[in-house]
Amino acid sequence: LRNILQGINGENGRLYSAVCEYINETEQMFKLLRTLSTRTPESSPDHHILITSLVVGSAMVAAIAYVSWRYCDKRKLLKNAPRSGMIAIACSDIQSSTKLWQHSSEGMIASIRIHNEIFRKTCFKYDGYVVKEVGDAFMMAFADPLKCAECCSEVMYQLNNVDWPGSIITSRHACTETDLDGNITMSGLRVRIGISFGDCDKIVSDAVINYIGQPVTEAETLEARANGGQIICTIEVAQAIENRNLKSVFRLEPLGKYSVGRFDDTTLFSVVSLKIPERIFGELRERPQTR
């Protein structure tokens, strides 16, 4: 237990010290209770009281350890939350999720777990911050737009290379698609992502940091207009990462001019993963897609 709590020391030394002090005192109490219980007849009421005290004390220590671990975990994730400057916002959603739930609720439960785990781990890997999860939608924030684009590209790759439940793959909304050479271009949940970059207002509380403003609205709009399996970004994102894509994990393709957010006529770009066989998409939707 102390080894687990040791991880909290770097996040909040006072909390760690307080918990360890409580554990030391509890250990002494347990030793006393064990000694008394061996000397007390099992049939006596005092014996039952002692045993109950041991169980309750153990439960209290376990509860404190869990709360402490969760607090440490949240603090660790908050370290990636952008606090100032321009912020890259990525919003995602699953295309035709309602139809997939109707097709197989059991399969979707397992699929959502896979989907969420990929998003959380990949976001943290690229120094991003999961702002919120609403149903099957994610909102992520990054201080660096390049890492944001790399994260989203990697998410698409991961989603394309996991074993989805068979009941989901049988749906036409999540079936496996291949190119002429037999390479898998899409498989499983069709996730669409929109990325924007700009100044956001931050709402800070003890446990979470939220963001509001035009970039959030733009990212949500782009996500809604994208096709399943597609990542779309604004020209601000493209300009911010221009000549910085050193790892060559994706490329930017201009899609033409569209009306998005505060812009009536702006060029949008598709973030195309180089780790996935080329996907062919239709035109962007002029209206948000129905779920």
Side-chain angles (χ1 to χ4, degrees):
L1 183 59
R2 283 196 183 87
N3 290 337
I4 296 174
L5 293 174
Q6 182 65 46
I8 301 175
N9 192 33
E11 299 293 331
N12 192 313
R14 289 179 297 176
L15 176 62
Y16 169 74
S17 299
V19 172
C20 285
E21 182 179 350
Y22 176 81
I23 291 175
N24 289 333
E25 294 176 356
T26 305
E27 282 181 341
Q28 298 301 318
M29 179 187 72
F30 281 0
K31 290 178 181 179
L32 177 60
L33 289 173
R34 289 194 192 99
T35 301
L36 292 175
S37 65
T38 58
R39 299 176 181 176
T40 305
E42 292 186 6
S43 59
S44 69
D46 290 341
H47 181 81
H48 296 294
I49 293 174
L50 291 171
I51 296 301
T52 301
S53 299
L54 282 169
V55 173
V56 172
S58 300
M60 289 178 64
V61 171
I64 290 175
Y66 175 76
V67 171
S68 302
W69 173 77
R70 290 294 297 168
Y71 180 83
C72 174
D73 191 49
K74 287 184 178 180
R75 288 288 299 272
K76 181 180 179 181
L77 295 178
L78 279 173
K79 288 170 64 175
N80 286 347
R83 304 302 178 101
S84 61
M86 298 180 70
I87 298 172
I89 299 291
C91 293
S92 74
D93 201 3
I94 299 174
Q95 181 172 281
S96 303
S97 61
T98 299
K99 295 177 181 178
L100 287 169
W101 277 106
Q102 294 170 347
H103 177 78
S104 174
S105 59
E106 184 177 342
M108 274 299 282
I109 290 174
S111 296
I112 292 299
R113 287 176 183 158
I114 295 172
H115 165 277
N116 291 357
E117 187 71 8
I118 288 174
F119 264 91
R120 295 187 193 115
K121 287 186 175 180
T122 309
C123 181
F124 186 75
K125 175 183 176 182
Y126 285 91
D127 299 328
Y129 169 62
V130 175
V131 182
K132 56 186 174 183
E133 303 173 30
V134 182
D136 51 36
F138 268 72
M139 175 179 167
M140 303 177 291
F142 298 78
D144 185 349
L146 176 58
K147 288 189 175 182
C148 179
E150 289 176 340
C151 171
C152 295
S153 176
E154 179 65 19
V155 163
M156 287 297 186
Y157 172 74
Q158 294 290 337
L159 291 171
N160 207 49
N161 289 274
V162 295
D163 293 326
W164 296 103
S167 58
I168 289 299
I169 296 296
T170 57
S171 169
R172 68 182 182 87
H173 301 292
C175 61
T176 299
E177 299 180 11
T178 60
D179 60 18
L180 295 177
D181 296 323
N183 300 310
I184 296 177
T185 57
M186 274 197 277
S187 181
L189 301 182
R190 295 337 192 226
V191 173
R192 52 186 189 239
I193 303 177
I195 306 174
S196 187
F197 183 54
D199 290 317
C200 296
D201 291 324
K202 304 162 196 63
I203 302 176
V204 182
S205 66
D206 182 58
V208 69
I209 297 178
N210 198 4
Y211 303 91
I212 58 175
Q214 195 66 44
V216 177
T217 302
E218 289 174 356
E220 291 173 343
T221 301
L222 292 180
E223 169 271 307
R225 296 183 63 176
N227 297 283
Q230 187 176 32
I231 306 170
I232 300 175
C233 71
T234 61
I235 192 171
E236 286 82 6
V237 176
Q239 290 173 342
I241 64 180
E242 187 177 11
N243 300 323
R244 291 186 58 211
N245 185 16
L246 304 178
K247 296 181 181 179
S248 297
V249 296
F250 67 86
R251 70 175 185 272
L252 296 174
E253 290 186 356
L255 297 174
K257 293 184 179 296
Y258 293 85
S259 296
V260 178
R262 63 186 184 276
F263 301 109
D264 293 329
D265 193 25
T266 184
T267 300
L268 299 181
F269 292 80
S270 179
V271 179
V272 181
S273 172
L274 299 181
K275 298 169 68 175
I276 301 175
E278 185 175 1
R279 295 172 170 177
I280 300 176
F281 300 105
E283 291 291 323
L284 298 186
R285 302 299 181 102
E286 290 299 328
R287 297 178 181 176
Q289 300 181 30
T290 57
R291 294 171 58 83

